[in-house]
Amino acid sequence: MLSTSRLTKFASIIILGSIILFPNLPVLAQDRVQVSVDTSKPGPKIDRNIFGQFAEHLGYGVYEGIWVGTDSKIPNTRGIRNDVVAALKALKVPNVRWPGGCFADEYHWRKGIGTRAVTLNPNWGGVVEPNTFGTHEFMDFIDQIGSQAYLSVNVGSGTPQEAAEWLEYLTTPLPTSLQKERAANGHPAPYKIPMLGIGNESWDCGGNMTPEYYLRQLTIYSRFVRNFNPAQQGRDQMLKVAVGPGGGEARWTEWTDTIMKAWEKRQWSWDMQGLSMHNYTVINWGNKFASVGFGEKEYSQILKETLKMEELVTKHSVIMDKYDPQKKIALIVDEWGSWYAPLPGSNPGFLVQQNSIRDAILAALNLNIFARHADRVRGANIAQMINVLQAMIMTDKEKMVLTPTYHLFKMYVPFQDATFIPVTFNAGTYSNGDTTLPRVDAIAAKDTSGKLWLELTNVDPNDAVEIEASVTGINANSATGETLTAPKVDSVNTFDAPNAVKPKPISAKVQNGKLTIKLDPKSVTVVSIS
Ligand code: AHR
């Protein structure tokens, strides 16, 4: 006779045996992650500006990445490389933040129009700054990719007059000397500047200011730096974005509190419409993680670290709510993304890193946090667009490669200006050693044409997840879209193997209002449900 313990052992062997023999055994219904999508309770609009990009004069971000010059053999339009423009067009980039970054607080716009002055870039590698890519080239670039300008004016080493004149130069339709100069430089019509950052990290590289000192600068710049474009005087006004926090510690909460309290008590003569926030995903600034050639430990630690964005957004939103319960001021996370050790052999001041499937998942987790805070977070700019930090694109002379983060941003295009739809699910957990984080993440939204989109992330790099999503409020039959995954946690695209990580099509049936879909390990899936 078999004892109970021997019976259990026997049963385990049979179960284990059947899993080994029949690896494709169906997952039991109770093992599935239940996701519920309720279209009857739509939330706020997911502002397309959360998909913004950042292009700083840093390393090969602008020079080589965007600008090759009109004499280059690399196919270009007025000096701007055609391959990069075509790739970025597909992302429907809503805005590009330029010229920095720390660079912005040392940038003098006049050196980048007409006859160019050759200067230095002390922040980033101490290299020569040719100023061949200046105001007109930037405006041409964003026009070519179908985007809009988010300019940062120099508060650190500039003056309110210099910034005010830049805006007059860009936006006035009236025949002032600056307008005539702009026309002589090829652009008689006023430019549109939808977003304006007043300084950058003024608490640090932007001038080491105290919150009170910066506040004085903000009120002066906000008063005098005007947009004169007649098309931007009504509802389409330029958003002025104040420098905000760079973390969650007391120093940063005090900063947010100082600016927001002053804004609440402001007089008619100054205003702002946005507060910026910077937050990079980095573990140990002194000894940063590698961007490639890492294992599951570093994969799980970085993804856990990136979830701190939620805590940070919540913390600063609570302070903002105190002074601005109507949420008039947008929180603009205008620098975010992964920051790893520079690639061996690269100039450390150029911030060159690889971009793996881990970064695509990291981007999805952050974008989902922004979407869930869509009522307050109405802008964000990943750092940076090309060849720098968590880039969309990497170039090497005439070669170009699209990164996993590029593919992820492309998959998220339907979420631009879509209406947030609440999703509930039990995320479960995924652990590696001491690191535990939610296994599944999801958001849903209805796009501007009314189509429903569902995003599902499986953080677990080892096991697939079966999802059973119930969709109420629409009569759905099927789901189609794309899924992005890769063989290894550090899989990357290279110039030699540019398609190692790229999305593949996925489709599933909806039966009795339930969508069943299997998520590959370490994957992001976006489907439309109809
Ligand atoms: O994105 C690189 C740098 O990081 C930016 O110039 C600066 O604002 C931040 O510290």
Side-chain angles (χ1 to χ4, degrees):
M1 226 175 87
L2 286 167
S3 70
T4 323
S5 69
R6 288 179 77 191
L7 243 180
T8 320
K9 204 170 165 191
F10 182 64
S12 321
I13 290 166
I14 292 190
I15 292 168
L16 197 67
S18 57
I19 289 172
I20 293 164
L21 286 174
F22 310 105
N24 292 329
L25 273 185
V27 180
L28 298 175
Q30 63 265 32
D31 293 336
R32 290 180 182 155
V33 173
Q34 304 291 325
V35 171
S36 126
V37 183
D38 188 357
T39 59
S40 68
K41 296 190 182 74
K45 182 176 90 172
I46 302 170
D47 199 309
R48 61 195 297 263
N49 281 318
I50 73 164
F51 302 93
Q53 303 278 336
F54 175 31
E56 179 167 15
H57 287 233
L58 193 176
Y60 301 115
V62 167
Y63 298 107
E64 292 206 29
I66 298 171
W67 180 258
V68 287
T70 46
D71 296 339
S72 173
K73 287 202 182 89
I74 299 172
N76 68 84
T77 303
R78 295 179 295 278
I80 295 164
R81 55 191 296 168
N82 295 344
D83 52 356
V84 164
V85 166
L88 291 173
K89 258 186 177 171
L91 292 190
K92 300 197 186 308
V93 179
N95 73 77
V96 182
R97 183 170 178 253
W98 177 84
C102 298
F103 180 81
D105 278 303
E106 290 190 287
Y107 184 64
H108 300 283
W109 67 274
R110 278 209 155 276
K111 301 191 173 177
I113 58 161
T115 306
R116 309 304 162 99
V118 177
T119 57
L120 289 172
N121 189 340
N123 273 295
W124 305 116
V127 294
V128 161
E129 164 58 56
N131 281 302
T132 40
F133 189 85
T135 299
H136 290 273
E137 292 74 21
F138 172 68
M139 297 307 290
D140 188 12
F141 167 62
I142 55 166
D143 199 43
Q144 288 191 34
I145 65 168
S147 189
Q148 295 206 300
Y150 177 7
L151 296 186
S152 293
V153 296
N154 181 344
V155 172
S157 67
T159 62
Q161 183 184 359
E162 184 187 10
E165 286 179 359
W166 195 16
L167 265 287
E168 183 190 323
Y169 177 85
L170 284 157
T171 64
T172 187
L174 299 179
T176 66
S177 301
L178 284 167
Q179 185 277 337
K180 287 183 184 154
E181 198 178 352
R182 186 187 71 222
N185 285 331
H187 209 276
Y191 286 114
K192 261 192 164 184
I193 309 294
M195 293 172 79
L196 190 82
I198 302 184
N200 170 76
E201 298 194 351
S202 304
W203 26 263
D204 189 354
C205 71
N208 295 308
M209 300 173 195
T210 62
E212 292 74 23
Y213 186 87
Y214 173 72
L215 179 62
R216 295 271 58 82
Q217 304 300 310
L218 171 66
T219 54
I220 296 167
Y221 275 75
S222 161
R223 171 81 191 117
F224 295 115
V225 183
R226 297 181 173 98
N227 185 319
F228 297 101
N229 189 326
Q232 292 193 264
Q233 304 309 309
R235 293 181 62 213
D236 205 9
Q237 263 181 37
M238 179 175 78
L239 233 78
K240 287 183 183 168
V241 183
V243 168
E249 295 83 1
R251 175 184 178 205
W252 308 116
T253 50
E254 189 201 330
W255 186 284
T256 301
D257 199 81
T258 305
I259 307 296
M260 290 303 297
K261 189 194 272 177
W263 175 80
E264 190 196 21
K265 301 205 180 330
R266 75 197 177 282
Q267 294 166 340
W268 66 270
S269 51
W270 79 276
D271 206 351
M272 64 185 209
Q273 290 76 33
L275 182 74
S276 94
M277 184 176 99
H278 289 182
N279 179 43
Y280 285 97
T281 300
V282 55
I283 299 177
N284 193 353
W285 282 98
N287 185 20
K288 298 186 200 78
F289 278 31
S291 57
V292 69
F294 55 85
E296 189 177 341
K297 183 165 168 240
E298 294 79 10
Y299 167 89
S300 59
Q301 288 180 348
I302 284 288
L303 293 183
K304 180 160 185 171
E305 181 69 20
T306 212
L307 294 174
K308 289 189 180 158
M309 180 67 88
E310 168 63 39
E311 198 183 307
L312 214 57
V313 167
T314 304
K315 193 176 240 179
H316 291 286
S317 297
V318 167
I319 304 172
M320 295 175 81
D321 286 350
K322 199 162 93 188
Y323 302 108
D324 174 28
Q326 291 178 299
K327 301 188 193 292
K328 288 186 177 159
I329 306 290
L331 184 62
I332 312 276
V333 189
D334 54 16
E335 285 188 31
W336 68 276
S338 56
W339 192 321
Y340 304 121
L343 282 184
S346 67
N347 182 333
F350 284 10
L351 312 186
V352 183
Q353 64 188 41
Q354 247 299 2
N355 194 297
S356 67
I357 185 70
R358 176 178 67 179
D359 294 296
I361 294 174
L362 179 153
L365 296 174
N366 279 278
L367 292 170
N368 291 0
I369 293 169
F370 302 151
R372 282 192 278 265
H373 287 273
D375 55 351
R376 179 66 83 181
V377 179
R378 300 197 289 272
N381 299 75
I382 189 166
Q384 298 194 4
M385 200 176 215
I386 305 155
N387 292 330
V388 177
L389 298 176
Q390 190 176 347
M392 305 292 120
I393 293 174
M394 298 178 79
T395 63
D396 180 15
K397 300 188 185 67
E398 76 292 349
K399 289 184 266 185
M400 177 187 87
V401 68
L402 306 176
T403 67
T405 303
Y406 172 93
H407 293 303
L408 187 282
F409 265 68
K410 190 149 175 251
M411 287 163 69
Y412 267 71
V413 165
F415 290 92
Q416 293 196 10
D417 279 347
T419 303
F420 184 82
I421 299 292
V423 180
T424 49
F425 54 97
N426 179 358
T429 55
Y430 148 66
S431 296
N432 178 264
D434 295 340
T435 308
T436 297
L437 62 158
R439 184 180 176 212
V440 170
D441 194 23
I443 60 162
K446 261 193 182 175
D447 70 16
T448 42
S449 72
K451 192 185 269 187
L452 180 66
W453 293 84
L454 178 62
E455 184 281 339
L456 298 155
T457 303
N458 177 13
V459 171
D460 191 327
N462 306 310
D463 292 318
V465 173
E466 190 141 341
I467 300 282
E468 187 175 81
S470 63
V471 186
T472 53
I474 63 162
N475 208 356
N477 295 310
S478 64
T480 53
E482 287 185 321
T483 190
L484 184 67
T485 185
K488 297 192 294 164
V489 286
D490 70 334
S491 292
V492 297
N493 289 335
T494 62
F495 297 111
D496 295 332
N499 294 319
V501 188
K502 69 168 199 188
K504 55 181 190 208
I506 189 169
S507 61
K509 280 211 157 44
V510 180
Q511 275 171 334
N512 305 323
K514 286 193 193 293
L515 160 73
T516 309
I517 194 163
K518 192 166 165 195
L519 309 179
D520 284 339
K522 52 177 151 27
S523 68
V524 179
T525 301
V526 174
V527 287
S528 70
I529 303 174
S530 51

